[in-house]
Amino acid sequence: MVNEIFRLVGAIVRTVVILVALAMEVLTLALGLALLLVWALFPLLFFTVIIGSFTGAPILIIAVVGLVLFFAVAYRAYMQSNDIPYSKMNLKMLSEEEWFERIIARTGIERSKFTHDNIDDDKKFKALLKEHDLTSDEFNELLKVEIMIREKQEDEMKFWTREFLRSISPIGKQWVYGYTVKLDEYAIEISSHDPTEYRNVELIGYDDEIEMIRLALERKDQNNVLLMGDAGIGKKSAVHYLAKLIRQGKVEGVLNDVRFMLLDFSQAVSSAQDKGANPEHVLHTLFAETAYAGNIVLVVENIGKYFGTAKGSAVNIAAVIDKYLALPTFRILATSTKGEYHRNVEKHDNVVKNFEVIEIKEPTEKEALHILFQKFEKDERDNVIFSLQAFREIIRRSSQLGRITPLPERAIDLAYEALLYWKKDPKGVITPAIVHKVISLKTGVTHGAIDDKERVRLLNLEKILHKRVIGQDGAVGQISDVIRKMRAGIGNEKKPVGSFLFLGPTGVGKTETAKALAEAHFGDEEKMIRFDMSEFQTPETVDRLIGSQNTGSPGILTSKVKDSPFSLILLDELEKAYPDILDLFLQVLDEGMITDAFGEKVSFRGSIIIATSNAGAPLIKELVEKGIPADDIRKRLVDHIVSEGLFRVEFLNRFDDVIFFRVLNEKQLQEVVALMLKRFALRLEKEKNLTIEFGQGVVEKIIENGYDPVFGARSIARYVADSIEDMLARKIISGEVKKGENVIINKEEIV
């Protein structure tokens, strides 16, 4: 009874207020029209009096002429509002618009080349675009975006349109619903005013998802929605965009009257704790107000963080929300990353069954381009900053930087970094060269156009590698060809820079070739990440590589690649790894990325992958002793590996090349030993200030005493360490050899 009385009193008050407000609206409108007429005619009256006083012409005639001119101008303005829409204009018509200068600045094409002859001739225009590294599709996308921006800006000025008037909230619209006193303390009504950075967001590429959200929220029951997707993929944008549509009066039906309340969940919980209250009781109050009001859509971001199973969760939202989800008047629009959903939310069946789970997927590269234009619209309001080619390069290269956050976030992050770099010396627009410079600074590896120094290095890559790798001409040539192809931009950008499987016996230069390639391509031998795959032979070792949710430990492979995305990854003795690990690297070779235990994608697209294997060593030894040619050995070795089940055919086919390393001949062995001794001498000169020289016959004596065909060059390295290094150590300790001296080692001293 009391409730009905209060409702009746409220209805009377609202009616009186609305009637008074309507009366004031009518008076305001009448006054506004009067002032508008005076304002419009004042210049006419003023100039009529002035002209009449100087010319002596009758004021009436001057007034009539002035009125004719006034209405002519007004008619012209009206006709302009009914001009052909930009989207219906051809390129020639668009090129005559003043704002078309933005298109020209965006492409980098000189204004003088936008002649009617070039524009009318499709073949000539395509050639002009190609000259500036653009395609017709890219130019058309640019036109579409700029037209959309221009029409949006012009529509914002048309205050008389139906769309503008619909965006004005009616008086007393929300008065028919219950009050939310407590909820208003911790939530923002983004459907009436959005103070966040997403207030003007234009959602691109998510039309189906928005429609699914709308339909789910309009249902009479089970009208709760959970948006699931990787961080940075656009979940917040979808929520704020739908709220903006409601704010602008562009949503029909049930949602036209709802209030999107963005709840600051952390603040509500922490405030309760500060006051000594039970956080769950506070949640009950907020949820009860939401259900009672009848027109609330409660927005909770990252809801998975607040489930009792979540690490560090101060309150278990699942224990509270379960009591409200089935209520028809309780609607919640929540977001969650995939990882949080699967770890924390999914196991609560009673909660999940009341949610419509909608996955927000990554936008395409074309959609990401539109999003970049929108994101930097405010920065570029006066002048174009980014060239179209720069935006395109940002989208392409952003997937190579270790941590792969989804589009559009990764592209936006790289674009902001390019913008900050450009602001140091803001000349012209941001071009791909600036983007490449930023990536080079981030990674320490050269990107972009090939300069003269790099051109010489790439064309002479075989010679550079042979400074460290003796023999193996075929292997070095194959590797060099793949690297040149990649650097020329011919390779697949969605795969690693290069991937090779090195086969052959121990000690023929497989690991040394990997080190030499790391130094030649990435500038430093230390840019090599090495794994001994014999340490990963059991199921639990998969977690060592990609991390474990149970222990919270990051993976050593994924962590190192995140930190150094442009590096050489060496997988020694790959055939000894657990089969699931081979499947893991199958994905790396095929897609250039993997997902770690925490749901984060890791890019290998800037890496070189080299796997070594000693598989089939006995067969190699047998075939070499029989004098079988190296190419035949390679073929029979691969057949042997497949038949023995060491590697599957589809795994071998994922490598850019399977390279066989030949057994070293006598001359090559001598070159290997000479190189070892040279490095040894350089190290002693640097560390001990000793100059070491080797007499004639030393190389041959080392091979004679130390070479073992089973272990190859490694047996020689071991012998040098055990004999020559030990001998010098004794001489230094005894005082026979002192710092700064020149020491000559003869073959007679070698035992």
Side-chain angles (χ1 to χ4, degrees):
M1 183 65 181
V2 174
N3 189 39
E4 282 75 8
I5 292 173
F6 277 112
R7 284 181 177 271
L8 178 60
V9 172
I12 294 171
V13 172
R14 286 194 295 270
T15 303
V16 172
V17 172
I18 290 172
L19 290 174
V20 171
L22 287 174
M24 292 181 65
E25 287 284 341
V26 172
L27 289 174
T28 303
L29 179 61
L31 181 61
L33 289 173
L35 291 174
L36 179 63
L37 185 61
V38 171
W39 172 79
L41 296 178
F42 178 78
L44 176 63
L45 296 173
F46 178 78
F47 285 108
T48 298
V49 173
I50 296 297
I51 294 172
S53 62
F54 278 99
T55 62
I59 292 179
L60 181 61
I61 295 175
I62 297 173
V64 170
V65 173
L67 281 171
V68 170
L69 292 174
F70 171 79
F71 284 111
V73 172
Y75 177 75
R76 174 57 183 161
Y78 170 77
M79 292 303 295
Q80 282 182 338
S81 67
N82 292 280
D83 280 345
I84 301 173
Y86 294 133
S87 56
K88 301 295 183 182
M89 292 183 180
N90 58 35
L91 185 57
K92 185 188 295 184
M93 296 169 68
L94 289 172
S95 67
E96 294 172 355
E97 296 290 331
E98 184 179 349
W99 57 265
F100 194 79
E101 298 299 322
R102 293 175 60 87
I103 300 285
I104 296 170
R106 189 82 75 182
T107 60
I109 301 175
E110 296 85 349
R111 186 64 168 100
S112 59
K113 292 187 177 180
F114 274 94
T115 62
H116 288 178
D117 183 46
N118 280 337
I119 291 174
D120 289 339
D121 191 321
D122 187 58
K123 190 173 181 180
K124 285 185 178 180
F125 190 64
K126 284 183 177 179
L128 178 63
L129 293 174
K130 187 175 182 180
E131 182 184 336
H132 290 80
D133 192 25
L134 291 171
T135 65
S136 296
D137 287 343
E138 289 172 335
F139 183 80
N140 290 334
E141 286 301 315
L142 172 59
L143 272 180
K144 187 187 298 182
V145 170
E146 290 291 350
I147 286 172
M148 186 172 63
I149 292 173
R150 179 57 50 179
E151 289 179 341
K152 175 187 170 186
Q153 291 175 351
E154 293 184 0
D155 287 345
E156 287 175 352
M157 300 173 64
K158 298 176 181 178
F159 60 87
W160 59 85
T161 61
R162 183 171 179 270
E163 289 75 15
F164 180 86
L165 296 174
R166 280 182 61 111
S167 66
I168 302 173
S169 180
I171 298 171
K173 177 181 178 181
Q174 305 296 344
W175 289 3
V176 295
Y177 300 101
Y179 293 116
T180 53
V181 179
K182 198 69 177 177
L183 183 60
D184 291 344
E185 290 183 28
Y186 304 111
I188 302 171
E189 186 181 341
I190 57 176
S191 51
S192 62
H193 171 67
D194 191 346
T196 72
E197 61 179 306
Y198 297 92
R199 59 185 173 275
N200 294 320
V201 66
E202 292 291 341
L203 207 61
I204 296 167
Y206 293 118
D207 294 343
D208 292 341
E209 288 83 351
I210 289 294
E211 183 64 12
M212 290 171 63
I213 296 169
R214 189 184 64 78
L215 291 173
L217 291 175
E218 287 181 347
R219 289 201 295 248
K220 292 184 177 180
D221 53 14
Q222 288 191 320
N223 45 16
N224 308 293
V225 178
L226 191 148
L227 304 183
M228 179 181 66
D230 295 328
I233 207 166
K235 302 186 296 297
K236 282 185 181 179
S237 296
V239 172
H240 287 261
Y241 177 71
L242 186 53
K244 189 184 81 168
L245 293 181
I246 295 170
R247 192 165 64 246
Q248 294 177 340
K250 294 181 179 179
V251 178
E252 302 287 347
V254 176
L255 291 186
N256 183 50
D257 293 331
V258 302
R259 300 169 65 202
F260 267 47
M261 301 296 289
L262 177 60
L263 176 62
D264 190 334
F265 195 98
S266 298
Q267 184 190 1
V269 172
S270 61
S271 177
Q273 291 174 327
D274 292 342
K275 296 174 182 177
N278 186 332
E280 291 191 4
H281 290 170
V282 173
L283 288 186
H284 274 295
T285 302
L286 298 178
F287 291 164
E289 284 192 354
T290 300
Y292 179 76
N295 70 327
I296 301 293
V297 171
L298 192 63
V299 179
V300 180
E301 296 177 346
N302 301 314
I303 195 171
K305 291 181 178 179
Y306 309 114
F307 276 72
T309 50
K311 186 177 180 181
S313 177
V315 61
N316 184 2
I317 191 175
V320 181
I321 201 171
D322 183 39
K323 296 177 172 57
Y324 297 90
L325 288 173
L327 298 177
T329 56
F330 183 84
R331 282 175 292 191
I332 183 169
L333 176 55
T335 68
S336 175
T337 63
K338 285 184 178 180
E340 287 174 354
Y341 177 78
H342 293 305
R343 284 195 303 272
N344 304 327
V345 182
E346 194 173 42
K347 56 190 70 175
H348 296 275
D349 294 336
N350 55 331
V351 172
V352 173
K353 71 179 181 181
N354 287 299
F355 272 106
E356 179 75 29
V357 179
I358 299 173
E359 184 176 354
I360 303 295
K361 296 181 180 179
E362 186 174 15
T364 64
E365 291 190 354
K366 184 182 290 186
E367 290 165 348
L369 178 63
H370 283 251
I371 293 170
L372 284 179
F373 278 117
Q374 177 205 122
K375 191 68 179 179
F376 292 92
E377 182 181 340
K378 185 176 180 181
D379 299 274
E380 296 189 314
R381 192 170 186 89
D382 297 325
N383 295 295
V384 166
I385 295 176
F386 290 89
S387 69
L388 176 59
Q389 297 90 330
F391 271 154
R392 181 188 62 197
E393 199 67 8
I394 284 168
I395 294 169
R396 286 179 179 175
R397 299 293 182 181
S398 61
S399 66
Q400 298 179 339
L401 301 178
R403 291 173 172 82
I404 302 187
T405 52
L407 286 173
E409 182 173 291
R410 68 171 185 259
I412 292 170
D413 290 344
L414 182 55
Y416 270 119
E417 290 175 343
L419 180 60
L420 290 174
Y421 181 85
W422 173 82
K423 283 183 175 179
K424 295 177 182 178
D425 186 18
K427 294 179 180 177
V429 298
I430 296 175
T431 62
I434 292 176
V435 177
H436 294 148
K437 181 65 177 177
V438 170
I439 297 175
S440 299
L441 291 172
K442 284 172 64 71
T443 63
V445 178
T446 303
H447 289 77
I450 301 173
D451 58 23
D452 291 340
K453 183 179 178 181
E454 188 182 9
R455 184 175 294 106
V456 171
R457 179 172 60 79
L458 287 169
L459 294 176
N460 294 278
L461 191 54
E462 288 89 345
K463 293 180 181 178
I464 295 171
L465 294 177
H466 274 310
K467 290 179 181 179
R468 297 186 57 168
V469 180
I470 305 302
Q472 313 302 349
D473 293 352
V476 168
Q478 288 171 281
I479 294 166
S480 300
D481 287 342
V482 171
I483 298 302
R484 279 191 288 264
K485 182 172 67 174
M486 177 282 306
R487 192 63 185 91
I490 300 174
N492 190 335
E493 293 180 350
K494 297 187 182 299
K495 292 190 175 186
V497 171
S499 58
F500 309 96
L501 175 60
F502 289 176
L503 299 176
T506 298
V508 293
K510 299 192 295 292
T511 301
E512 187 62 27
T513 301
K515 291 180 180 179
L517 183 56
E519 181 181 31
H521 184 68
F522 295 115
D524 192 340
E525 181 182 315
E526 297 301 317
K527 285 280 189 178
M528 185 172 77
I529 302 171
R530 186 173 182 175
F531 294 94
D532 182 352
M533 302 311 294
S534 64
E535 299 176 2
F536 301 89
Q537 300 188 41
T538 55
E540 62 272 12
T541 55
V542 176
D543 290 345
R544 286 183 58 201
L545 290 175
I546 64 171
S548 169
Q549 282 191 21
N550 294 331
T551 64
S553 304
I556 56 175
L557 170 65
T558 50
S559 294
K560 288 183 177 181
V561 174
K562 287 176 189 176
D563 294 337
S564 301
F566 290 86
S567 55
L568 187 146
I569 301 168
L570 178 62
L571 310 171
D572 269 331
E573 298 187 279
L574 184 63
E575 77 280 2
K576 295 181 179 179
Y578 186 68
D580 286 358
I581 291 176
L582 296 184
D583 291 338
L584 191 72
F585 282 104
L586 182 67
Q587 183 183 350
V588 170
L589 298 174
D590 196 37
E591 302 175 11
M593 68 172 69
I594 56 172
T595 303
D596 69 9
F598 307 98
E600 186 173 9
K601 291 181 179 178
V602 183
S603 172
F604 288 75
R605 293 173 181 174
S607 305
I608 295 175
I609 312 288
I610 292 181
T612 70
S613 175
N614 296 326
L619 176 63
I620 295 172
K621 182 175 182 297
E622 177 188 339
L623 296 177
V624 169
E625 289 173 349
K626 290 181 180 180
I628 304 296
D631 290 341
D632 291 341
I633 293 176
R634 178 189 180 280
K635 184 179 183 305
R636 292 176 64 174
L637 178 60
V638 171
D639 291 341
H640 170 76
I641 287 172
V642 173
S643 64
E644 291 294 317
L646 298 174
F647 297 123
R648 302 194 305 273
V649 174
E650 60 266 31
F651 182 69
L652 294 176
N653 286 338
R654 292 302 192 280
F655 287 98
D656 289 331
D657 222 331
V658 177
I659 299 174
F660 177 68
F661 279 68
R662 306 163 186 251
V663 176
L664 300 175
N665 59 35
E666 182 69 23
K667 182 182 178 183
Q668 290 168 344
L669 279 174
Q670 290 177 2
E671 293 179 18
V672 168
V673 174
L675 187 58
M676 285 182 183
L677 295 178
K678 180 180 178 182
R679 290 179 185 165
F680 175 61
L682 289 172
R683 178 162 60 85
L684 282 182
E685 184 174 9
K686 180 180 179 181
E687 296 176 358
K688 297 295 182 182
N689 193 23
L690 286 175
T691 301
I692 306 294
E693 297 180 17
F694 297 93
Q696 287 189 345
V698 169
V699 170
E700 291 77 5
K701 185 69 175 288
I702 290 174
I703 294 174
E704 180 185 342
N705 291 352
Y707 179 62
D708 183 343
V710 175
F711 297 102
R714 288 185 179 176
S715 61
I716 296 175
R718 191 177 301 116
Y719 178 77
V720 169
D722 292 344
S723 60
I724 297 178
E725 290 186 17
D726 287 351
M727 176 186 64
L728 273 173
R730 287 194 299 270
K731 287 186 176 184
I732 291 171
I733 292 172
S734 66
E736 184 180 345
V737 172
K738 296 181 175 61
K739 287 186 177 182
E741 291 187 345
N742 291 342
V743 181
I744 299 176
I745 297 177
N746 297 306
K747 67 177 183 178
E748 291 78 15
E749 299 179 73
I750 300 175
V751 180

